[in-house]
Amino acid sequence: MVKRPLVWVLGAFIMGTLLAWYKIEIVIVLLLMLAAFSIIYLLFFHLAKEYVNRHDCFLWSLPIILLLGFMAMTEQMKVPALEWVFEEEAECRLSGTITQIVQKSWGLSLYASNITVYLSEEEAYHCENVLIYCSGEQNYRIGNGITVYGQIKKFSQATNPGQFNEKLYYQTQNIDYKVMADEIRITNQEHSPYYDFLSRMKQNLIHVYRNILTEKEAGTIIAMLLGEKYLLDDGINELYQQNGISHILSISGLHVSLLGMAIYKLLKRLKFPFTLSIILAIIFLYSYGALTNFSVSTVRSVIMMVLLLLSAIFGKTYDMLSAISLSAFLILLGNPIQLFNVGFQLSFSAVFGMAVLLPCFQKLFSSKPVLGEIYVSISAQIATMPFVLFYFYQLPIYSVFINLLLLPLSSLLLLTALIAGVAGTIAMPIGVFCIGASSYILRFYEWICGIGASLPKHLVTIGRPDIPRILLYLALLLFFHWSVHRYKKKRLIFLLPIALLILILPDRNVGLEITMLDVGQGEAIFMETERGTTYLIDGGSLDTKSVGKYRIQPFLLSNGVDHIDYVFVSHTDQDHISGLKELMQEGKIKIHNLLLPYLLHSYKEEAYVGLEELAKSSGINVNYFSKGDLLSDGELKITCLHPSMEYVPSSKNSYSMVLSVSFVEFDLLLTGDLEKDGEAILMATYPYDYDILKVAHHGSKYSTSEGFLQIAKPELALISCGKANRYGHPHIELLDRLDEVGSEVVITYESGAITIMTDGKKMVVEEYLE
């Protein structure tokens, strides 16, 4: 007999969704179904009669479930007709119904459904859901009909490795567009009394916590209990993340099980009938989920807790793996793209670890209660590790121990905070009296996390593991589970460190790898040798805010890089240094050496001096590069071609550092924002045929002259500039000149990050958005 049918059903559904996500043709899906039916037939009637019987008839439904997953994902991936009507944003009028209201520090986020959008008065377009950003001046209620005037915008797609993918994130929430509201009119005052009551209750609790706790502690409790993070202190959030306890700030199984069982036991003590107690507890759990905006982890926890309570009514045994599978199936049935939601993956992998790995530890080692917490923490950490690395790139080394110290206090923290919040709505002094324990626990949390963050190597940068390694890691965990239950040998524990090594061992470059990042209207180029030496040439942007924090740093960390050996600055325009300044100020990426173009003191402008001082105050070695200087690293040679020590600049662009990069037979020319006078100096002495040219000044027609190109003759020309930038880069005249010399042109706003891998003889070019 095949155990746990729901696990098999979930597996078939996920396989169907993945086939649709990777755009496999329906014909191939039907052939797979036919093959599956054939295998099932053979199992029942020829090959495995001793393993399957009449109770396993559900196997016949698995190909149908696979097709259901395929169709559900295909439907979810359909693009609204509105997508083809405007480029990135447009003025609009839209109407819809408010389904959710989320408080933010700057105002409100309104989630609205059944949307009709008008870009002109003549034609209407329909989409399912939009996210509306607005001020909190009006009193909105869930269920209100609204008309919104403002700008409708598409969500941005990740264009660099490691970059947050806003488009995919909101796809997982079934949100089509965002709208920046200029004016909102409530056209229908109808609202849900139930949701209105929950909303007022939440606001009352927030008011109580802000009055009985410090601002920092109130923000933490409100995030933990009510799911609202707009008051959460940035320092606390980062501190919890660095110590691997940020899950405490999310509504999870701990919250739901604690509150659900507390309500159930309270009702039992009040002599409520058994069945009625469970039904009321389920209603409470649903209400709590609605109160906290039903995040995916909350939905999972509520479903699993409801199944636990219902099993008591029907006299059935609660099986954790089956409950996990059913909750995942129901969530994915509603929106299959949730499969790619980080919250979904972390939430389900954590409980999967507890369901699959925890019993293994209990079988192999002592099952004393005192060790239970350790086994639970380790099981969750092992199962979530590939997803933590995939999205956050770093491992908090001491998180297991910190979780062991702090998690036992979580139940007391949540319970006392809830009691204090409810008591405070009745009488504020009672709330103040009851909140004491919560306040002390929060201070203890912060103290322990402060110690953890101060320990050496508290965060180890691994980088993003590739999908095959993640799948192999998970396969080894399942093999470990199967082996332990079959053989019960303690030596099987060595499978876990083997799996860990497969996951975290770095991949070294074979040769030289160069990546021009998409930073909008700016420039950033990263290089790494096979020895692991790292280089960054420029790093800034005019049109991308916090480019260092949100593009350069995530790219580096996702590649397993938390330090830069050499940073070259071509010149000190903001579109070349704004991100570098962020990295220096933030300090998460250690920079060892900063190389600036050599300038006589009298020609150093404010930005140049400011960058020098910032680097020195950050403990970075500052050096100067001028014509003829060479940096050698094995086969890699980086030679400065411009400016000379005697050069008198006429502008910032004119003194742009020009670097000739050679690796065996491969040659790359980096020209910063070099202008025509600088090109003339180069043409008289240095340039020769180059494999790749980084086109100067983002593709300006005033740089990269015809004569210069006739000498350099690049096979490939790289241009870094922002889409629809105000300068019109790249200019058509420049593109025509490149075409005349036979250069292939790749532009960051079209291709995203551009990566070149070379062994010194051959090169491979990859475009991130291909």
Side-chain angles (χ1 to χ4, degrees), residues 204-231:
N204 287 339
L205 288 170
I206 290 173
H207 174 73
V208 168
Y209 290 130
R210 296 188 74 176
N211 277 276
I212 64 177
L213 289 166
T214 65
E215 196 68 20
K216 184 192 290 186
E217 292 172 351
T220 307
I221 287 295
I222 290 166
M224 285 182 178
L225 265 181
L226 304 177
E228 295 287 358
K229 296 187 178 180
Y230 67 97
L231 293 172

Side-chain angles (χ1 to χ4, degrees), residues 67 108 133 179 235 253 262 364 381 386 399 407 429 471 490 504 534 572 616 630 669 697 721:
L67 181 62
L108 294 175
Y133 299 122
V179 177
L364 293 178
Q381 298 270 344
S399 63
L407 282 182
L471 293 176
K490 287 188 177 182
I504 68 173
T534 52
T572 53
K616 290 174 182 177
L630 171 68
L669 186 63
H697 208 173
C721 61

Side-chain angles (χ1 to χ4, degrees), residues 57-77:
C57 290
F58 78 92
L59 291 172
W60 291 102
S61 70
L62 295 184
I64 307 298
I65 298 295
L66 182 145
L67 181 62
L68 175 64
F70 180 85
M71 294 174 65
M73 179 64 91
T74 302
E75 182 66 26
Q76 195 68 34
M77 290 170 62

